[in-house]
């Protein structure tokens, strides 16, 4: 997709790579990743074998990123958190792409520069690795001892932008998400990713969408790796009408992508790499901002329903069942692909792989008695086919359903 310099905040252009990379997404969303209730300490990952504690992992900045033009919105260096693998996982890699919404105009992107989502100056110097990033066998039985990376998100466009700079009220903005992706991958290749025998690219929400976009590119980076697969968590955003009958999300974020919007249901038609779709049928973020956005003027009853699915009446549940149907229609084309996996539960939740109590615990959601971690592991290691699609709400008593005091913020 060619971008004009006069409309930097509207268009993104392609900068090499596969056709999937050039697919630009026109939805904005936020990720709220819960921090586990573990006592955190700095120690070696091997100690997880005899521990019940998760681990804090330091932030690494990409020192040569500036010469590659790979910069956060404010011009600071991009970064990631890297936990070295050990034992049988020493030559296996799991890369997680952080999410955190899009900034749809210069005003919002400028404000984002003052946060960890636009500047490495504001990023935490250490973060806990839990869920799919955990180094605890009890939490993460299949990937606990792999090399694991959390890639920080600071470009505001799911690692997809590639334009020069623009000015806004005397400050400079850098839209360099694609260059950030390339610079961090280059750095990781030098640290051992190039010699990986197995690799998994994953991400949550905005990072899940980035996983759809970059999956085939990731595979292309590792031509000698025996097994390369991808898994998107909560990134299958729907192009559906809201309760007022409008495509309000499409219209609202047409500022981000002026020429054309691509949704995951279109992107997945082009992905060649084995892929796993992890998505709740009643994604809480989408219920609040796709089905019942503020611009649709939700009634008082809808305001209660969008905060707590148990407070939805029968008519509202019927609307949400339509959302579930749209999701299942969107993935129908890949349900028969033998090397693809699916786990669609009936929970009112958003992003499940980075929460220890959802990924793999005695209280985790299950379909056919499998936790999400077990389902993903069975798919990745070809232990069994995984096409797990839950029944309609409220059929699954193992679901963990969020209750909000206020909706997710845009």
């Amino acid at each position: 997709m060619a971008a004009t310099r006069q409309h930097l905040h509207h268009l993104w252009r392609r900068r090499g790579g596969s056709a999937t990379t050039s697919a630009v997404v026109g939805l904005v969303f936020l990720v709220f990743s819960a921090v586990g209730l573990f006592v955190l300490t700095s120690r070696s990952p091997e100690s997880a074998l005899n521990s019940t504690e998760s681990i804090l992992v330091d932030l690494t900045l990409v020192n040569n990123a500036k010469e590659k033009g790979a910069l956060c919105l404010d011009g600071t260096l991009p970064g990631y958190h890297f936990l070295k693998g050990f034992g049988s996982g020493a030559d296996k890699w799991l890369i997680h792409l952080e999410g955190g919404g899009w900034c749809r105009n210069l005003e919002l992107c400028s404000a984002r520069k003052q946060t960890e989502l636009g500047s490495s100056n504001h990023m935490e110097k250490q973060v806990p690795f839990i869920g799919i990033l955990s180094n605890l066998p009890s939490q993460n039985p299949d990937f606990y001892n792999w090399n694991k990376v959390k890639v920080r998100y600071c470009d505001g466009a799911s690692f997809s932008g590639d334009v020069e700079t623009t000015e806004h009220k005397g400050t400079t903005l850098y839209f360099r998400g694609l260059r950030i992706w390339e610079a961090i991958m280059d750095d990781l290749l030098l640290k051992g990713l190039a010699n990986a025998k197995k690799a998994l690219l994953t991400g949550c929400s905005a990072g899940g969408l980035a996983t759809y976009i970059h999956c085939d590119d990731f595979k292309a980076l590792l031509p000698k790796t025996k097994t390369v697969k991808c898994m998107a968590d909560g990134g299958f955003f729907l192009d559906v009408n809201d309760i007022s009958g409008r495509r309000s999300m499409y219209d609202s974020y047409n500022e981000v992508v002026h020429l054309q919007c691509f949704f995951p249901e279109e992107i997945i038609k082009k992905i060649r790499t084995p892929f796993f779709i992890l998505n709740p049928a009643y994604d809480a973020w989408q219920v609040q901002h796709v089905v019942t956005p503020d611009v649709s003027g939700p009634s008082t009853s809808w305001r209660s329903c969008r905060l707590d699915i148990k407070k939805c009446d029968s008519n509202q549940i019927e609307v949400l069942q339509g959302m579930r149907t749209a999701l299942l229609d969107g993935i129908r084309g890949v349900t028969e692909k033998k090397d693809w996996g699916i786990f669609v539960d009936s929970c009112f939740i958003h992003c499940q792989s980075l929460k220890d109590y959802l990924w793999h615990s005695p209280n985790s959601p299950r379909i056919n008695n499998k936790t999400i971690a077990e389902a993903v592991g069975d798919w990745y290691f070809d232990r069994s086919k995984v096409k797990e699609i839950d029944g309609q709400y409220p059929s699954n008593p193992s679901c963990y359903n969020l209750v909000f005091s206020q909706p997710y913020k845009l």
Side-chain angles (χ1 to χ4, degrees):
M1 181 184 298
T4 63
R5 301 299 183 191
Q6 293 79 12
H7 300 284
L8 299 182
H9 61 295
H10 288 309
L11 306 178
W12 306 118
R13 67 176 173 82
R14 180 177 177 177
R15 186 175 178 262
S18 69
T20 303
T21 302
S22 62
V24 185
V25 187
L27 273 177
V28 181
F29 37 84
L30 291 174
V31 176
F32 287 82
S33 297
V35 176
L37 301 177
F38 291 93
V39 178
L40 300 172
T41 182
S42 296
R43 53 187 170 77
S44 67
E46 292 91 335
S47 64
L49 295 173
N50 299 305
S51 176
T52 59
E53 302 172 357
S54 58
I55 194 168
L56 284 173
V57 182
D58 293 334
L59 176 65
T60 298
L61 298 180
V62 183
N63 291 323
N64 65 346
K66 186 174 182 178
E67 63 191 58
K68 298 180 178 182
L71 301 169
C72 296
L73 281 170
D74 70 338
T76 54
L77 298 176
Y80 58 86
H81 303 262
F82 171 44
L83 182 63
K84 191 172 179 60
F86 62 94
S88 62
D91 55 4
K92 301 174 180 66
W93 286 72
L94 187 152
I95 314 293
H96 174 86
L97 303 178
E98 184 182 33
W102 284 39
C103 50
R104 66 182 183 268
N105 56 45
L106 294 177
E107 193 74 33
L108 293 176
C109 290
S110 184
R112 195 181 182 97
K113 288 173 50 176
Q114 309 304 316
T115 75
E116 72 278 6
L117 293 173
S119 170
S120 58
N121 286 342
H122 297 284
M123 292 176 184
E124 306 95 322
K125 301 308 178 187
Q126 293 182 319
V127 297
F129 269 28
I130 57 177
I132 196 172
L133 294 176
S134 175
N135 61 312
L136 305 177
S138 60
Q139 259 193 50
N140 195 20
D142 284 311
F143 307 109
Y144 73 93
N145 63 348
W146 284 32
N147 295 282
K148 293 185 288 292
V149 181
K150 180 175 182 177
V151 179
R152 300 306 297 266
Y153 175 42
C154 65
D155 68 281
S158 286
F159 302 94
S160 66
D162 182 17
V163 296
E164 294 304 324
T165 59
T166 191
E167 300 296 319
H168 179 67
K169 296 182 178 179
T171 63
T172 303
L173 290 168
Y174 299 82
F175 299 101
R176 305 287 182 81
L178 183 55
R179 297 191 199 186
I180 291 173
W181 157 265
E182 292 173 344
I184 290 180
M185 290 302 110
D186 287 346
D187 213 43
L188 295 176
L189 288 169
L190 294 175
K191 290 187 174 180
L193 177 60
N195 300 316
K197 290 185 178 179
K198 294 183 182 295
L200 175 63
L201 177 69
T202 183
C204 171
S205 195
L209 191 50
T211 303
Y212 286 111
I213 294 170
H214 288 295
C215 181
D216 284 342
D217 297 325
F218 184 65
K219 170 67 174 177
L221 290 172
L222 304 170
K224 298 180 181 180
T225 302
K226 182 178 180 181
T227 305
V228 180
K229 298 185 179 183
C230 307
M231 189 270 283
D233 175 12
F236 203 97
F237 290 87
L238 301 170
D239 180 18
V240 296
N241 291 343
D242 63 31
I243 55 175
S244 70
R246 297 183 300 175
R247 294 170 67 194
S248 58
M249 286 300 295
Y250 182 99
D251 295 337
S252 177
Y253 299 109
N254 197 36
E255 286 183 289
V256 182
V257 184
H258 179 67
L259 180 62
Q260 182 172 241
C261 294
F262 288 91
F263 290 86
E265 63 185 282
E266 296 300 321
I267 298 174
I268 61 175
K269 296 175 183 177
K270 302 176 182 179
I271 296 174
R272 300 180 300 276
T273 306
F275 207 100
F276 193 98
I277 297 175
L278 168 60
N279 230 86
Y282 311 95
D283 186 288
W285 193 95
Q286 295 198 65
V287 168
Q288 294 171 1
H289 295 296
V290 178
V291 180
T292 66
D294 290 335
V295 294
S296 70
S299 65
T300 301
S301 61
W302 268 111
R303 289 172 188 159
S304 299
C305 173
R306 68 208 292 250
L307 298 178
D308 183 353
I309 196 171
K310 294 187 294 297
K311 294 182 179 179
C312 300
D313 62 31
S314 59
N315 291 329
Q316 292 164 340
I317 290 295
E318 185 176 351
V319 172
L320 299 188
Q321 302 300 13
M323 173 183 168
R324 174 181 180 270
T325 298
L327 172 62
L328 298 185
D329 286 345
I331 66 174
R332 180 172 290 122
V334 301
T335 54
E336 299 306 317
K337 288 188 177 182
K338 64 179 182 178
D339 55 358
W340 282 51
I342 298 169
F343 192 101
V344 175
D345 56 40
S346 59
C347 307
F348 183 63
I349 197 78
H350 179 62
C351 282
Q352 301 174 91
S353 63
L354 281 186
K355 300 177 176 70
D356 55 286
Y357 57 93
L358 297 175
W359 176 245
H360 187 68
S361 81
N363 299 316
S364 294
R366 285 170 165 77
I367 304 178
N368 291 328
N369 204 34
K370 282 186 181 181
T371 65
I372 298 169
E374 290 167 339
V376 172
D378 285 349
W379 161 77
Y380 186 89
F381 294 100
D382 298 318
R383 294 192 291 250
S384 65
K385 294 181 179 179
V386 180
K387 311 286 186 183
E388 303 291 359
I389 297 178
D390 214 350
Q392 293 185 349
Y393 173 86
S395 63
N396 190 340
S398 71
C399 266
Y400 183 97
N401 296 315
L402 290 175
V403 176
F404 297 84
S405 59
Q406 58 183 8
Y408 282 123
K409 293 181 181 179
L410 280 172

